[in-house]
Amino acid sequence: MTSVAGRVRAAFDAWGGPLVSRIVAALFGGYALAALASVAVLALPMSKPQAVLTGEMASFVIYAAAVIWVFAVRSALRAWAGLLVVAAPLLLAAWSVW
Amino acid sequence: MGSPSVTTDQQARPDGRGLRQSMSDLHTWVGLLLGWVLYAMFLTGTVSYFKDELSQWMRPELPALSGVPDQALVAQRVADELVALVPGSPQWSLRLPDARNNSVYAFWRTAGAAPGQRGFGEGNFDPATGRTVSSRATLGGDFFYRFHFQFHYMPVVWGRWIAGIAAMFMLVAIVSGVITHKKIFVDFFTFRWGKGQRSWLDAHNALSVFGLPFHAMITYTGLVTLMALYMPWGQQAGIKTAEDRRQLNAELSAFIQPGKPSGEKAPLASIEDMVRQAQERWGRDGVGRVTATHPGDAAARVAVARGDGGRVSMSPQYLEFEGTTGKLLAVHEGVGPAAETRGVLYALHLGRFSDSVTRWLYFLVSLAGTAMVGTGLVMWTVKRRQKLPDPARPHIGFHVVERLNIASIAGLSVAMAAFLWANRLLPETLADRANWEIHGFFIVWALTLLHGVLRPAKKAWVEQLWLAAALLALLPVLNAATTQRPLWRSLADGDWVFAGMDLMCWALAALHAVLAVRTLRHQPKTRPARKAVNKPAGAAVLREG
């Protein structure tokens, strides 16, 4: 690990970077994913009030699942990647209704 | 974040650690960080299942309930009083007495409140006279109820956000806790008494597993009660017009919103007749609430809503009347599937549908939940004390957790008992009396923290537990000395709210006394016992714990 990138990586790891990264992914990434899902639900074929309430109720389950995912997978990178993979289709759906 | 053991684990196995180890760490830290807040939420929430009884006990001047008065007559009486008391109010709402409530709670919007001003008033009314209740000023059981989800001395919204974050942590702690204990149901049948940390672990597991469905339900449904605050995004994206908002609101609440007043004066028609129509539909005691918008104006509307009993749902069911003629405009009896789901979840959290057996079950399982959080917090220190390099001088993190545990567990019991003492002892003429009961609660709680910091940890635990036991045990005596409703009389009269309260105080005093004795006898293991566990000689070390 002599390259600059390697040294940055080593410093990141040494200072608890992966852990901090996971905490941020869980707290904020998880909330963002849950919020996104609660908006994406509006794209489903049901009335607005029902969709809004469905999204709100589902959001906490999604948030909790996201946090578990973030700490269950092998690396911080995978944690973020997983959140993004789920976020992509939700973002499309949310985009269509915002 | 810091205990040495966690850091070592991570250095040894940077990222490829087992799932259960990751979940165990997550469970430990998520549980600890807001554990004290969660403990207070759990305990005050638990007693809130009896908040109406607590309110009755805290207003001893009001006569004991003898059957539910005719709701139609009561509604008319209090409505007349409100018309006189807050003329020109754009909206008021009153909750009718039921089998557990001997006063009518009402709140109103004040006319012409400037923006930023507090535009609401509230009061309790006597169902027999319609007048403001003539009892000591107190928030009653509503203090614990409100503290449970919005705390105190801070804007309501902040408190609710803190409660929401704590609840979310709890939800994650529950899920990660279950994954950690893959043998969770086997563990439930294993209890190793008097084995130090193992006993704490087993107690924590038993309490958690016993009530697991309840703990998961209560945490999730707690989030649902305030979900529009925590997750407003769908609403912002999808609800844009006034009509959308009206439709959404109608799915959630029986509070009709005031429209525009006509400016033309006209008295309200008979509220009694409107409530009679509702009684025909939901039964004599089945009406919950009467809300009027622009009473006294020609555009007045009145909603008469169904009570919480008889169905496990808080989804709105109400009759809407034209205020000046009493003509039935609409019957709202059903909401959409998502709204009904939300109504059921909400009702499950509040448990207001319960008969007394179900209510006691709610109370006991919720108490087990409180103990689950409490044993979890204590376990954090018990686990780590063994690994401390010098147990006489623990590191600062350990010290902070240990002292916060004392004040937030034993100290909260002392403070809650002190709140009830303040209710009996503060003079009725004291200005701002209701608030001084609350200040008393916080002053005592702060003192327990101070005591917990100044005394050696074990002594602080034992002393505060004994103090809580004494305050609780003497509360029936204080009640006998300061009210006309001592235990012998309440038992003779069949006054179960007062008799039940006195007996419950003794039961809880006994619980605290047992905890105090056990803590006193507890010998913490000071040597690192881990190495010795697998050797025959280790048995001796374990037996000490």
Side-chain angles (χ1 to χ4, degrees), chain B residues 115-301:
Chain B
Q117 216 182 326
R118 192 166 176 272
F120 288 93
E122 60 183 346
N124 283 284
F125 297 84
D126 185 343
T129 63
R131 299 295 159 81
T132 308
V133 290
S134 47
S135 75
R136 62 195 65 200
T138 176
L139 203 54
D142 281 302
F143 168 63
F144 292 139
Y145 173 67
R146 291 182 193 179
F147 177 87
H148 157 72
F149 63 92
Q150 61 195 27
F151 309 104
H152 203 75
Y153 298 130
M154 66 174 88
V156 164
V157 171
W158 290 20
R160 292 179 177 190
W161 265 105
I162 294 172
I165 293 166
M168 203 58 227
F169 271 57
M170 182 80 206
L171 195 58
V172 170
I174 289 175
V175 177
S176 56
V178 170
I179 300 173
T180 305
H181 299 286
K182 69 173 180 196
K183 292 188 299 176
I184 193 157
F185 291 99
V186 180
D187 279 356
F188 180 59
F189 295 104
T190 316
F191 202 102
R192 292 157 287 191
W193 283 104
K195 290 272 189 269
Q197 183 202 325
R198 271 155 218 277
S199 298
W200 283 106
L201 182 65
D202 292 346
H204 183 68
N205 287 347
L207 288 164
S208 309
V209 180
F210 162 63
L212 186 63
F214 177 84
H215 306 326
M217 177 279 280
I218 211 71
T219 308
Y220 174 64
T221 55
L223 287 161
V224 168
T225 60
L226 290 170
M227 63 186 185
L229 173 69
Y230 304 140
M231 279 292 163
W233 314 111
Q235 200 167 330
Q236 285 188 6
I239 306 292
K240 288 182 170 135
T241 64
E243 175 56 20
D244 283 348
R245 243 189 303 283
R246 197 199 57 74
Q247 277 184 15
L248 178 62
N249 186 58
E251 296 283 290
L252 300 175
S253 149
F255 289 111
I256 48 175
Q257 296 300 317
K260 279 217 159 57
S262 70
E264 190 187 327
K265 284 196 183 235
L268 276 179
S270 165
I271 298 283
E272 184 185 339
D273 287 347
M274 299 180 206
V275 177
R276 288 260 177 266
Q277 290 181 49
Q279 282 177 318
E280 274 166 33
R281 201 172 275 270
W282 300 313
R284 180 185 174 276
D285 303 339
V287 184
R289 193 174 267 291
V290 177
T291 305
T293 61
H294 298 302
D297 186 275
R301 290 270 186 284

Side-chain angles (χ1 to χ4, degrees), chain B residues 52-67:
Chain B
D52 291 337
E53 286 76 13
L54 213 48
S55 290
Q56 288 188 45
W57 185 88
M58 292 178 76
R59 296 191 182 96
E61 297 84 0
L62 296 189
L65 268 178
S66 50

Side-chain angles (χ1 to χ4, degrees), chain A residues 59-86:
Chain A
S59 68
F60 306 111
V61 178
I62 292 166
Y63 197 174
V67 174
I68 297 296
W69 163 262
V70 163
F71 287 98
V73 291
R74 272 178 40 216
S75 71
L77 202 63
R78 273 173 196 245
W80 280 104
L83 294 184
L84 290 175
V85 165
V86 181

Side-chain angles (χ1 to χ4, degrees), chain B residues 143 147 151-153 415 437-447:
Chain B
F143 168 63
F147 177 87
F151 309 104
H152 203 75
Y153 298 130
E437 286 182 357
I438 296 169
H439 298 325
F441 168 83
F442 285 105
I443 290 168
V444 171
W445 205 4
L447 288 175

Side-chain angles (χ1 to χ4, degrees), chain B residues 522-539:
Chain B
H522 177 71
Q523 293 295 330
K525 276 180 288 190
T526 48
R527 270 173 289 164
R530 183 141 298 181
K531 274 178 247 158
V533 164
N534 293 326
K535 298 176 189 166

